[in-house]
């Protein structure tokens, strides 16, 4: 049986407000998903100051929590703790069967994949993207799997991973113009190109652990990658930021069309204040055993 790794994860978001605010309402997307090669063993989320938290499920099957604070505060700390077990995936085949492209593209009309086959907020075609595709000679081959692996590797090789070079709301034209970005930019570029080929592709948010040779993300960090829907394989991971990283070193939190669907924290407050957000992630392997 394949090996599994158990992680304890602590994700802390700390907001500091320049003047007191009177009311906060937020949507939190921090609970790891259960299934697809991982088991969620425990999850808890809390805040300082204390708040009411109500769980709900969005249209993509992600669990989100709605936070309400109805009193004055100058700081807000959100602490999410999870225990997750991930399992090593079987190796991918060398190629898919004859007629795979026809089957892949037929899924774009299916109800469950329709939203993942069209442009979205941060996965928008642009003239700059067209120029990038032409310069890199990016074209699909006869096999969808090999085409996507080649796309993943081309994106990895053609951009520099530079923390802080983009923001959470940067369009893909920013990384295309500067050649610098972070994992969500890499993922958005791959998603946009794969969808242009007729491949249902979704954005995955989560965590990545343990720096290895060739990795460009931090040792423990929030992370983003892409999943493409392929015949015989279903939803299949493609990580253009760290293409050689074993899948069991990633923990999936949420899926959506792009970052706009799965932002870890999003909300509004009442008050005339500026805010600063600091985020820290600790992801510790606590057990490795045979499944």
């Amino acid at each position: 049986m394949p090996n599994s790794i158990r992680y304890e994860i602590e994700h802390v978001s700390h907001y500091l407000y320049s003047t007191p605010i009177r009311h906060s309402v937020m949507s939190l997307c921090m609970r790891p998903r259960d299934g697809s090669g991982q088991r969620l063993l425990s999850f808890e989320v809390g805040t300082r100051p204390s708040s009411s938290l109500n769980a709900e499920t969005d249209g993509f099957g992600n669990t989100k929590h709605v936070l309400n604070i109805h009193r004055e505060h100058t700081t807000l700390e959100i602490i999410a703790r999870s225990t997750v077990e991930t399992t090593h995936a079987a190796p991918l085949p060398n190629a898919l069967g004859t007629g795979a492209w026809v089957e892949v593209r037929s899924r774009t009309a299916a109800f469950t994949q329709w939203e993942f086959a069209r442009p979205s907020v941060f996965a928008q075609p642009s003239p700059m993207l067209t120029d990038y595709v032409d310069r890199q000679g990016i074209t699909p081959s006869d096999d969808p799997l090999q085409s996507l692996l080649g796309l993943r590797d081309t994106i990895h090789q053609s951009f520099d991973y530079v923390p802080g070079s983009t923001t959470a709301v940067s369009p893909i034209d920013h990384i295309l113009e500067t050649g610098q970005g972070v994992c969500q930019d890499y993922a958005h570029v791959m998603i946009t190109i794969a969808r242009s080929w007729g491949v249902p592709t979704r954005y995955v948010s989560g965590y990545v652990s343990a720096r290895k040779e060739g990795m460009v993300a931090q040792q423990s960090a929030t992370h983003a990658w892409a999943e493409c829907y392929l015949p015989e394989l279903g939803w299949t991971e493609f990580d253009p930021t760290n293409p050689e990283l074993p899948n069991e070193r990633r923990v999936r939190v949420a899926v959506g069309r792009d970052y706009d669907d799965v932002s870890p924290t999003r909300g509004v407050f009442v008050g005339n204040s500026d805010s600063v957000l600091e985020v820290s992630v600790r992801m510790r392997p606590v057990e490795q055993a045979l499944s």
Side-chain angles (χ1 to χ4, degrees):
M1 297 293 289
N3 286 332
S4 64
I5 303 178
R6 184 170 295 182
Y7 294 105
E8 288 181 349
I9 304 163
E10 183 181 74
H11 182 169
V12 179
S13 299
H14 184 88
Y15 286 88
L16 177 63
Y17 303 102
S18 58
T19 59
I21 63 173
R22 298 186 298 278
H23 180 62
S24 293
V25 179
M26 281 192 174
S27 174
L28 312 180
C29 188
M30 295 179 166
R31 184 181 188 273
R33 291 173 70 98
D34 211 3
S36 299
Q38 71 179 37
R39 287 196 303 148
L40 178 61
L41 303 178
S42 67
F43 175 77
E44 62 180 17
V45 60
T47 66
R48 302 189 186 104
S50 61
S51 64
S52 66
L53 286 165
N54 298 292
E56 58 183 26
T57 302
D58 70 10
F60 303 111
N62 306 309
T63 299
K64 296 184 176 181
H65 291 79
V66 180
L67 171 159
N68 281 276
I69 300 177
H70 299 284
R71 60 185 180 278
E72 194 171 86
H73 53 287
T74 55
T75 64
L76 171 60
E77 192 168 60
I78 304 161
I79 309 102
R81 295 187 178 94
S82 312
T83 305
V84 181
E85 191 172 80
T86 62
T87 304
H88 184 69
L92 292 172
N94 291 327
L96 302 180
T98 304
W101 270 121
V102 174
E103 189 171 349
V104 166
R105 289 166 177 155
S106 72
R107 302 296 302 182
T108 61
F111 177 78
T112 53
Q113 275 85 51
W114 187 88
E115 289 190 285
F116 302 120
R118 285 152 180 79
S120 54
V121 174
F122 292 115
Q124 291 278 349
S126 71
M128 202 169 287
L129 181 66
T130 301
D131 289 344
Y132 168 75
V133 168
D134 291 343
R135 285 198 317 273
Q136 297 293 329
I138 297 172
T139 56
S141 67
D142 293 338
D143 179 73
L145 176 58
Q146 286 302 315
S147 299
L148 292 165
L149 290 171
L151 173 61
R152 177 201 68 184
D153 293 345
T154 297
I155 293 170
H156 176 72
Q157 294 161 9
S158 57
F159 298 119
D160 293 325
Y161 185 93
V162 180
S165 57
T166 59
T167 70
V169 295
S170 294
I172 60 173
D173 278 359
H174 189 106
I175 187 174
L176 295 170
E177 181 178 9
T178 65
Q180 299 178 345
V182 294
C183 55
Q184 70 185 34
D185 305 301
Y186 286 55
H188 285 148
V189 172
M190 177 151 191
I191 289 166
T192 309
I193 296 173
R195 287 177 183 169
S196 76
W197 292 349
V199 181
T201 308
R202 65 189 186 184
Y203 183 98
V204 187
S205 68
Y207 305 107
V208 64
S209 176
R211 179 181 292 277
K212 292 172 66 68
E213 186 176 352
M215 264 189 72
V216 296
Q218 303 171 27
Q219 183 161 343
S220 293
T222 56
H223 193 45
W225 58 98
E227 286 184 341
C228 300
Y229 196 86
L230 296 173
E232 307 171 32
L233 302 176
W235 288 110
T236 304
E237 291 185 352
F238 295 90
D239 185 350
T241 310
N242 294 305
E244 301 304 320
L245 183 69
N247 75 287
E248 69 269 19
R249 294 186 182 275
R250 300 184 194 90
V251 168
R252 303 160 78 251
V253 170
V255 300
R257 291 162 295 186
D258 55 39
Y259 175 82
D260 193 57
D261 290 327
V262 298
S263 172
T265 59
R266 168 177 292 174
V268 294
F269 59 79
V270 176
N272 184 17
S273 176
D274 296 323
S275 64
V276 176
L277 170 62
E278 296 181 351
V279 177
S280 66
V281 173
R282 291 191 299 174
M283 184 173 177
R284 184 170 69 95
V286 293
E287 181 178 330
Q288 186 167 0
L290 293 178
S291 300

